[in-house]
Amino acid sequence: MMTLFGYWRSSASYRVRIALALKGIDVNHVTVNLRDGLQKDAEHLLRNPQGFVPVLVIEDGTQLTQSMAILDYLDRKFPNPALLPEDPIFRSKLLAASLVIATDIHPIQNLSVLKYIRAEHGQDDGGVKNWAQHWISNGFTALEKTAQQYETPFLMTEVPSLFECCLIPQVYNARRFDVDMDQFPKLSAIDAACQEHSSFIAALPEHQADAP
Amino acid sequence: MMTLFGYWRSSASYRVRIALALKGIDVNHVTVNLRDGLQKDAEHLLRNPQGFVPVLVIEDGTQLTQSMAILDYLDRKFPNPALLPEDPIFRSKLLAASLVIATDIHPIQNLSVLKYIRAEHGQDDGGVKNWAQHWISNGFTALEKTAQQYETPFLMTEVPSLFECCLIPQVYNARRFDVDMDQFPKLSAIDAACQEHSSFIAALPEHQADAP
C-alpha cells in the first residue's frame, strides 16, 4: 500500500486526498505536523529536500513530491476515473485553469512566504491577510471569468477533474483568510457541488485523523 | 501556423520558446510589451483574463494559457522529441523537479509580486533583490540536492526535457538578481550544457526580435 505523508490543513495534501478518493485508492496516512515545523526535520528532508508536504511513497519505495506531479502519476497509473481528458486542447485548458491556482495563488500565500513577509517585511496579521486576499482574489477573478463561459456543474465538465482537486482546497483557504466568495458565484457553485460529493467529503481537512 | 504572444524577457515565454525549438515548430511571434504594461490591456485580457504572457493561439483559434499547460499541449500534439517520458514514475519525478521552479520559485518573484512588495511593503531595490534571491536560492538548493544524485548531462536524462525548459529561464533570472550560481554546481553544469544547444540558443531572450 502507498503512504501519503501529509497534514490535515495543507492545501497540497488536500488536493492529493481528493484525487485518491475520486479514484478509490486507499493509502496509509502519516502526518507531518506543520504547526510544529516537522516538515523541516532531517527525517522529512530525506523524503523531500524542499521540506514540503505531501510526499507519496509508492510500493517500490519511490518518494514522489510536488502535488501536481503526484496527481500526474496517479492519473497515469490509475486512469479511471481520469483527472484530465485525453484531448490535447481540452486537457491543456483544464490544466491551465488548475495551474492558475497551483502556480499563481497557492505558492504565494504558502506558509513559508507568509513567515517571510512577517519576519522581513514587518507585516502583522492584517498585512498577512491583505496579502493572502490579494493573490487569492486576483486568481479567482480570472478563473471566475473562465468559469462563467460554461454551464457545466464542474469547470468545463460533468464530473470533477484536476481543477476541482485544486479549487476546493483553495476555497477552504480563501475562507480562512475571509475572502468574500460572493464575488465568485460560479466558483462558489462548483465548490457547493463538490461539498456534496463523497470523495470531497472524505478529503475534508476536519475529517482527517490528525485534525485537532 | 500558431502564434505565440510573449515577451523576450518573460521566463514563461522563454520556456515555451525552448520547447518549440526542441520540437522544431515554427510559430509567429507577437510581442506584448510587459515594460509598458500591455499585458493588462483589454486586448490582451481577452486572450488571457490573468493578463499574463505567454498565450499560444493554435490553428483553430483556441487561446492556450499558462506555460506549463502550453508545454503539456505541445508534448501531446507533437510528441517527438518528448519533453517528458512515458514511464509514470520517471515522468512524475521530472515533472516534480520542473514544478519546483514553476510553482515555488518563478511565481513568487514574478513582476506582479515584486510590484506589490514595493508598493505595499515599502521594499526598495535591495529588498526586492533579497526577496528574489531568497526564493530562487531556496528552490535551487533543493534542486541541486536532487541533481547531485545523477551523472547525466541533463537532469536525470541524456537529452533536455521539460525540466531544462524551466531551469534555463530561471537561471537567466537568477543572474539578473545576482544569485551566486557557484552554490549550485550541478545546476550550473546543466545550464552550461544547454547554452551550447542550438534550441536553447535560438530561444535566448537577447535573440528575440522584440529585444532592445
Side-chain angles (χ1 to χ4, degrees):
Chain A
M1 197 184 266
M2 299 189 288
T3 299
L4 182 68
F5 290 85
Y7 186 61
W8 65 285
R9 218 174 190 178
S10 139
S11 283
S13 303
Y14 189 179
R15 283 180 200 159
V16 175
R17 291 198 303 263
I18 295 168
L20 289 168
L22 286 169
K23 289 175 179 291
I25 303 166
D26 268 339
V27 300
N28 296 315
H29 288 272
V30 177
T31 188
V32 178
N33 195 320
L34 304 192
R35 228 186 160 85
D36 297 344
L38 295 189
Q39 73 277 24
K40 302 295 181 194
D41 257 24
E43 196 184 342
H44 190 68
L45 290 174
L46 286 176
R47 289 179 208 120
N48 180 0
Q50 278 197 288
F52 285 162
V53 290
V55 175
L56 182 70
V57 182
I58 61 176
E59 283 85 351
D60 73 359
T62 303
Q63 296 164 332
L64 300 179
T65 60
Q66 284 284 347
S67 63
M68 300 301 276
I70 293 172
L71 296 179
D72 186 89
Y73 171 78
L74 293 174
D75 219 26
R76 291 235 151 190
K77 189 77 182 174
F78 309 96
N80 294 309
L83 297 177
L84 284 177
E86 284 295 317
D87 175 70
I89 298 176
F90 187 14
R91 180 183 162 88
S92 183
K93 291 178 76 133
L94 261 179
L95 182 56
S98 310
L99 288 166
V100 172
I101 296 169
T103 68
D104 296 324
I105 301 178
H106 174 249
I108 303 179
Q109 43 100 70
N110 207 354
L111 194 57
S112 54
V113 175
L114 302 185
K115 274 188 185 162
Y116 187 103
I117 65 171
R118 277 185 196 274
E120 304 295 330
H121 296 177
Q123 297 298 302
D124 59 10
D125 288 350
V128 165
K129 189 192 261 196
N130 287 343
W131 171 270
Q133 287 183 343
H134 177 80
W135 300 111
I136 296 170
S137 296
N138 244 17
F140 276 7
T141 299
L143 285 173
E144 179 70 20
K145 280 186 193 139
T146 303
Q148 292 283 351
Q149 299 167 25
Y150 300 88
E151 298 292 327
T152 47
F154 305 100
L155 187 79
M156 306 181 202
T157 62
E158 296 296 328
V159 291
S161 79
L162 180 70
F163 176 74
E164 282 75 26
C165 294
C166 295
L167 177 68
I168 303 323
Q170 191 59 62
V171 172
Y172 178 88
N173 231 310
R175 293 211 172 94
R176 280 179 66 195
F177 286 114
D178 296 330
V179 172
D180 175 16
M181 284 302 297
D182 290 348
Q183 304 169 80
F184 314 111
K186 184 69 194 186
L187 298 182
S188 295
I190 294 173
D191 179 63
C194 290
Q195 297 304 340
E196 297 186 1
H197 190 295
S198 60
S199 299
F200 289 82
I201 294 169
L204 271 172
E206 287 72 16
H207 290 176
Q208 306 312 304
D210 57 338
Chain B
M1 198 184 265
M2 299 189 288
T3 299
L4 182 67
F5 290 86
Y7 186 61
W8 66 286
R9 218 174 192 179
S10 138
S11 284
S13 302
Y14 190 179
R15 282 179 201 160
V16 174
R17 291 198 304 264
I18 296 168
L20 289 167
L22 285 169
K23 289 175 178 291
I25 302 167
D26 270 338
V27 301
N28 297 314
H29 289 272
V30 178
T31 188
V32 179
N33 195 320
L34 304 192
R35 226 184 162 86
D36 297 345
L38 295 188
Q39 73 276 24
K40 302 295 182 195
D41 257 24
E43 196 184 343
H44 190 69
L45 290 174
L46 286 177
R47 287 179 211 121
N48 179 1
Q50 277 197 288
F52 286 160
V53 290
V55 175
L56 183 70
V57 182
I58 61 175
E59 281 86 351
D60 73 358
T62 303
Q63 296 163 332
L64 300 179
T65 60
Q66 284 283 346
S67 62
M68 300 301 278
I70 292 172
L71 297 179
D72 186 88
Y73 171 79
L74 293 174
D75 220 25
R76 291 235 151 191
K77 190 78 181 174
F78 309 96
N80 294 309
L83 297 177
L84 285 177
E86 283 296 313
D87 175 70
I89 298 175
F90 187 14
R91 179 183 162 88
S92 182
K93 290 179 78 134
L94 261 179
L95 182 56
S98 310
L99 288 165
V100 172
I101 296 169
T103 67
D104 296 324
I105 301 178
H106 175 250
I108 302 180
Q109 42 100 74
N110 207 353
L111 195 58
S112 54
V113 175
L114 301 186
K115 275 188 185 161
Y116 187 103
I117 65 171
R118 276 185 198 275
E120 305 294 330
H121 296 177
Q123 296 299 302
D124 58 10
D125 288 350
V128 165
K129 189 192 263 198
N130 286 344
W131 172 269
Q133 288 184 342
H134 177 80
W135 301 111
I136 295 170
S137 296
N138 244 15
F140 277 6
T141 299
L143 285 173
E144 178 70 19
K145 280 186 193 142
T146 303
Q148 292 283 351
Q149 299 167 26
Y150 300 88
E151 298 292 329
T152 48
F154 304 100
L155 187 79
M156 305 181 203
T157 62
E158 296 295 328
V159 290
S161 79
L162 180 70
F163 177 74
E164 281 76 27
C165 295
C166 295
L167 177 68
I168 302 323
Q170 190 60 61
V171 171
Y172 177 89
N173 230 312
R175 293 211 173 95
R176 281 179 66 195
F177 287 114
D178 295 330
V179 172
D180 175 16
M181 284 302 297
D182 290 347
Q183 303 169 83
F184 314 111
K186 183 72 193 180
L187 298 182
S188 296
I190 294 173
D191 180 62
C194 290
Q195 297 305 338
E196 297 186 0
H197 189 297
S198 60
S199 300
F200 288 83
I201 294 169
L204 271 173
E206 287 71 18
H207 291 176
Q208 306 313 304
D210 58 338

